[in-house]
Amino acid sequence: EVQLVQSGAEVKKPGESLKISCKNSGYSFTTYWIGWVRQTPGKGLEWMGSIYPGDSDTRYSPSFQGQVAISADKSITTAYLQWSNLKASDTAMYYCARQTGGTAFDYWGQGTLVTVSS
Amino acid sequence: SYVLTQPPSVSVAPGQTARITCGGNKIGSKSVHWYQQKPGQAPVLVVYDDSDRPSGIPERFSGSNSGNTATLTISRVEAGDEADYFCQVWDSSGDHVFGTGTKVTVL
C-alpha cells in the first residue's frame, strides 16, 4: 500500500527555520517525482516544487524559488521541505504528493499545518 | 503564467448531474486532472489525463476536455460528493498549475 506520512503540525516565530518531512512507503521511492503543494484559504492549492529522489533533480515554481528548499534522503525514503527564514505569510497547510508517470498527483500525504506567528 | 479558472460554487440536487468547468487558454491541448477535497482532508485524485479514473473512483465521475474548457461531470450526485473540486495541468513552462477550486453543494 502506497503511503505518504507527513510530520506533525508546527508553530514557529518569524525569522525561524523549519524542515518538515514526508515519509514514503509501499513503492519504489526513487522512480517517482514527489511534489510539495501549499494550501491557504485565500489562494487555494499552489505547487511549490518537486524532486526526483533517484537523482535529486529538483524543480521549483517561480513563486517559491529561493524561498524554500526541497530535498530527499533515499536511504530513509523521505522528502523534505525547508525554510530558513519563516514569515507570517508562510502560514498554511503543506502537502506532499507523489506524481504519476504522467503529470497528476495520485497519492497525497495527510498535510502539515505550519503556523508562523510572533 | 498559465491560469485555470473555475466557478466558485455549483449547487445540485441529489440524483442530478453536476458539471464543473475549468477554463484555460487552449486547455484542450493539455492533460487535465481533477481532485476532490473534503473538509479537513487531503485532496484525492478522481480523474486524470482528461477522462481516466483511478482505481476505486466510481464511474459516476467522468471528464472531458476540448478547446478552452475542461469539464468534470458527476452523475447521480450523492450527499457524499459534497466537497471542493480542483482541476490541474502541467504547463509547458514546467509548472504544475491548479484551478481556483469549486465548492459543490448538494441541496
Side-chain angles (χ1 to χ4, degrees):
Chain A
E1 179 193 7
V2 174
Q3 286 192 313
L4 283 70
V5 179
Q6 298 184 228
S7 50
E10 301 275 1
V11 179
K12 292 289 190 179
K13 291 181 166 41
E16 291 186 335
S17 62
L18 175 64
K19 191 174 188 177
I20 62 176
S21 66
C22 171
K23 168 70 174 176
N24 296 256
S25 61
Y27 74 99
S28 177
F29 180 63
T30 56
T31 59
Y32 288 83
W33 286 82
I34 295 291
W36 286 94
V37 177
R38 184 174 81 173
Q39 186 168 35
T40 56
K43 284 201 167 185
L45 296 171
E46 299 173 275
W47 173 71
M48 304 175 70
S50 296
I51 188 166
Y52 188 76
D55 60 6
S56 294
D57 186 10
T58 308
R59 314 284 173 84
Y60 292 95
S61 162
S63 298
F64 293 94
Q65 179 83 47
Q67 307 304 308
V68 297
I70 294 172
S71 60
D73 185 334
K74 290 187 290 189
S75 68
I76 55 172
T77 63
T78 299
Y80 300 96
L81 177 65
Q82 184 172 8
W83 295 260
S84 59
N85 181 17
L86 283 162
K87 306 176 183 59
S89 57
D90 293 318
T91 295
M93 181 70 80
Y94 293 88
Y95 293 100
C96 61
R98 190 185 81 162
Q99 192 173 319
T100 65
T103 58
F105 295 101
D106 58 352
Y107 289 92
W108 294 65
Q110 82 278 19
T112 296
L113 180 63
V114 174
T115 303
V116 183
S117 174
S118 55
Chain B
S1 60
Y2 195 73
V3 176
L4 295 174
T5 303
Q6 299 180 235
S9 63
V10 167
S11 297
V12 59
Q16 298 304 303
T17 298
R19 293 180 180 83
I20 305 160
T21 58
C22 175
N25 185 39
K26 299 180 182 176
I27 195 173
S29 65
K30 304 179 186 299
S31 290
V32 179
H33 319 299
W34 291 91
Y35 302 88
Q36 175 194 69
Q37 186 179 32
K38 296 182 179 179
Q41 298 183 20
V44 172
L45 181 67
V46 294
V47 167
Y48 67 97
D49 292 348
D50 297 340
S51 59
D52 291 332
R53 279 185 312 278
S55 171
I57 300 300
E59 292 183 6
R60 300 185 298 104
F61 289 83
S62 62
S64 63
N65 183 20
S66 179
N68 292 319
T69 305
T71 303
L72 174 69
T73 301
I74 311 173
S75 304
R76 303 180 299 284
V77 165
E78 303 173 356
D81 298 331
E82 189 162 284
D84 293 328
Y85 291 83
F86 297 89
C87 56
Q88 177 243 323
V89 301
W90 182 79
D91 184 41
S92 56
S93 64
D95 294 351
H96 294 276
V97 179
F98 288 92
T100 49
T102 299
K103 181 176 181 59
V104 170
T105 299
V106 180
L107 300 171

